[in-house]
Each structure stands twice: as structure tokens, then as C-alpha cells.
Amino acid sequence: MKQSNIIQIAVPLLLALFLMPLAGLAGCSGEVALRKHTFTIELGQDVYANPALYAESGQQGLEHMTVSPVSTGIARKDNRFISRGYDYLLVGEYDFVIENGGTSTPFRIKIKDTRPPTVISEVTEMDATVGERIDWVSVFPATDISGVSYEAPFDTTATPGDHDVTVKISDRFGNAVEKPVKVKVSE
């Protein structure tokens, strides 16, 4: 093989070997292609600081990227974000960025509470006396990260007899579950 043929083959090969890593580095900075610009997450669910959760599939260089909060009041605990003083992000909208080299790609996370309270016990019938004040919390104990409130007719025990009552158990964001119960009121 002639020396000129070797040079014709070797020079492009060496250039490719030299420029390929540089092209890869150039791909590690710049705007990140996001799956979407606003992510909605349920209250109490973990919000992770993992760029792969927010970037489009196949995005290169994710291991060199970081997710940072822009909104105030957010702390990082291990590999997740929390509202200061809580173990989760509170309901609201929060701005974040994926930092990629010298470039920041903004996105938003909305935390919503869309789940009704969880009722711990099921009661279909109960006894009461005329004029008794029913403690609905003890009849239908419930939990919700947003707190729980109860609504029921005030005059359920005003008269003797069987009364079909619906107790509405809500959280502060309006998520509710209704529980029917027959209240047998005696004198």
C-alpha cells in the first residue's frame, strides 16, 4: 500500500476519533428536551431530583445534569424535594430547572390533592338516644394529608326512630367521600 493511500485513510480516521468525543461534549450542554413543561404530582408523592424523570427518553448526558428548585421554600432531602418543615411538597406550583453545563431548562411541577380522605372503618347502622350529639369522627375515623372535616344533618337525633343519614367526609381541597348510615334513635 502506498504512503499516500495510508494518509488518505489514516487522516480521516484520526480526525473522527479526535472529534467524536468533542461532539459528545457539545451534546452535554444546551437545552434539555423535556417530556412536558408542567408535571402534575399528587400531594404526598415523592418529587425526585432525577433529570431522567423530566427529560425526553433517550436524552444523552443525563448523568451530568442536575435538577434544582427556582421557587423559594423548597429543600432537598436525599434525592427528593420537600417543602421546608414537611416531608413532601405542599399543594402549589413550583418552578425548577434542569442544569446542563451552562444552560438551564425551566419546567414546573404542580402539586395537587385530588384524593378524598381514607375512611378507616365501615359502619352501616348505629344506635343513639334522643338529643345525643353524635361524634362522627369516632363513627367514621378518617385520614388525609390535608386534614379531615365532617358534615351531617344537625338534627339527626331530634326525634326517635330510624333515620337514614349521609355523612360527608372532606379534606380542605374539597375531595370528599360520602358514607350512608342508619341511625336508630331511641328515647
Side-chain angles (χ1 to χ4, degrees):
M1 186 178 274
K2 292 184 181 179
Q3 186 175 1
S4 64
N5 286 344
I6 292 173
I7 292 174
Q8 287 176 341
I9 294 171
V11 169
L13 184 60
L14 289 171
L15 279 173
L17 289 173
F18 176 74
L19 293 176
M20 208 177 302
L22 292 178
L25 287 175
C28 288
S29 64
E31 285 252 343
V32 175
L34 298 172
R35 291 176 194 254
K36 50 188 168 181
H37 292 281
T38 301
F39 298 85
T40 303
I41 298 174
E42 183 67 26
L43 176 65
Q45 298 293 314
D46 288 333
V47 177
Y48 291 103
N50 181 353
L53 296 172
Y54 312 106
E56 280 188 3
S57 298
Q59 188 81 37
Q60 300 296 314
L62 288 170
E63 64 278 1
H64 302 293
M65 298 179 198
T66 58
V67 178
S68 300
V70 175
S71 298
T72 58
I74 299 174
R76 187 171 175 161
K77 181 178 180 180
D78 301 321
N79 191 37
R80 56 192 185 86
F81 296 105
I82 59 173
S83 293
R84 293 185 200 278
Y86 293 86
D87 201 30
Y88 50 87
L89 277 177
L90 297 174
V91 170
E93 294 184 18
Y94 302 94
D95 294 317
F96 289 85
V97 293
I98 294 180
E99 295 172 317
N100 185 19
T103 305
S104 295
T105 303
F107 68 97
R108 177 168 281 181
I109 293 179
K110 288 183 181 181
I111 304 295
K112 290 187 171 186
D113 183 353
T114 62
R115 295 182 182 153
T118 301
V119 179
I120 298 167
S121 68
E122 294 293 324
V123 175
T124 56
E125 288 186 6
M126 62 176 288
D127 295 322
T129 57
V130 171
E132 178 183 345
R133 235 179 140 177
I134 298 174
D135 178 16
W136 295 114
V137 174
S138 64
V139 175
F140 293 111
T143 61
D144 191 281
I145 200 166
S146 298
V148 178
S149 64
Y150 294 80
E151 289 179 48
F154 180 71
D155 60 353
T156 300
T157 61
T159 59
D162 292 352
H163 302 280
D164 291 322
V165 176
T166 300
V167 179
K168 184 177 180 182
I169 306 163
S170 307
D171 67 19
R172 69 186 201 131
F173 293 102
N175 303 302
V177 62
E178 293 184 347
K179 293 294 181 181
V181 61
K182 182 179 290 287
V183 180
K184 296 181 176 188
V185 180
S186 60
E187 289 192 54

